[in-house]
Structure formats: structure tokens, C-alpha cells
């Protein structure tokens, strides 16, 4: 579970850094429109989103593994009651 939290933290930090970079490429956050900086910010957001997606998949797989183990246990108990 620690790996999932680390991936989530790095992904969120990356998204925040990219959002800051995108904000600085506008006239409100910087001097003028800077298309190169904006492109760099959006290109950096893609790996950050990928890290969040990977963390989500790992968490889902762990949850499903626990559910499968519980179902197997229940099935074994039911088969034991039926005498199969």
C-alpha cells in the first residue's frame, strides 16, 4: 500500500507543478502568452496522470485479490457443509 501512496503523491505533485507551469505561461501568471511553456506543462501532465492511473490499478487489483480470497473461503465453507 505504501507504493500506491508514493505513486499518488508523486503524481499529484507532478500535476501541481504542471499546473503552476501552465499558469506562468499565461498573461495573468507571467509576462505574456508563452506557447512553448504551455506545451511543456501539458506534456509533463501526461506522465503524472499515468502515475495516478497506475496507482489506481494497483489499488483495484489488491482489492479484487482480497475479494477473490473471501469468495474462495466462502465457497470452501459451503462445499464443506454440503459434504462435497
Amino acid at each position: 500500500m505504501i507504493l500506491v501512496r508514493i505513486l499518488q503523491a508523486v503524481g499529484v505533485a507532478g500535476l501541481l507543478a504542471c499546473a503552476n507551469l501552465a499558469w506562468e505561461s499565461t498573461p495573468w501568471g507571467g509576462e505574456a502568452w508563452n506557447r512553448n511553456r504551455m506545451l511543456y506543462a501539458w506534456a509533463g501532465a501526461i506522465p503524472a496522470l499515468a502515475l495516478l492511473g497506475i496507482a489506481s490499478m494497483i489499488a483495484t487489483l489488491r482489492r479484487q485479490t482480497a475479494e477473490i480470497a473471501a469468495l474462495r473461503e466462502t465457497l470452501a465453507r459451503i462445499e464443506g457443509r454440503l459434504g462435497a
Side-chain angles (χ1 to χ4, degrees):
M1 205 59 180
I2 294 173
L3 175 65
V4 172
R5 295 298 178 209
I6 290 172
L7 287 174
Q8 287 175 339
V10 171
V12 169
L15 281 177
L16 290 175
C18 290
N20 184 35
L21 190 61
W23 173 254
E24 290 175 355
S25 68
T26 64
W28 304 286
E31 296 177 9
W33 286 104
N34 190 338
R35 292 180 183 161
N36 295 331
R37 185 178 279 185
M38 182 69 77
L39 179 63
Y40 185 70
W42 289 115
I46 294 170
L49 289 172
L51 286 176
L52 290 174
I54 291 169
S56 175
M57 286 191 309
I58 291 172
T60 302
L61 287 174
R62 286 185 146 199
R63 194 175 319 117
Q64 286 179 347
T65 303
E67 288 176 5
I68 289 171
L71 287 173
R72 285 184 178 168
E73 181 182 311
T74 304
L75 181 61
R77 196 176 26 174
I78 290 171
E79 286 178 347
R81 286 184 182 172
L82 292 176

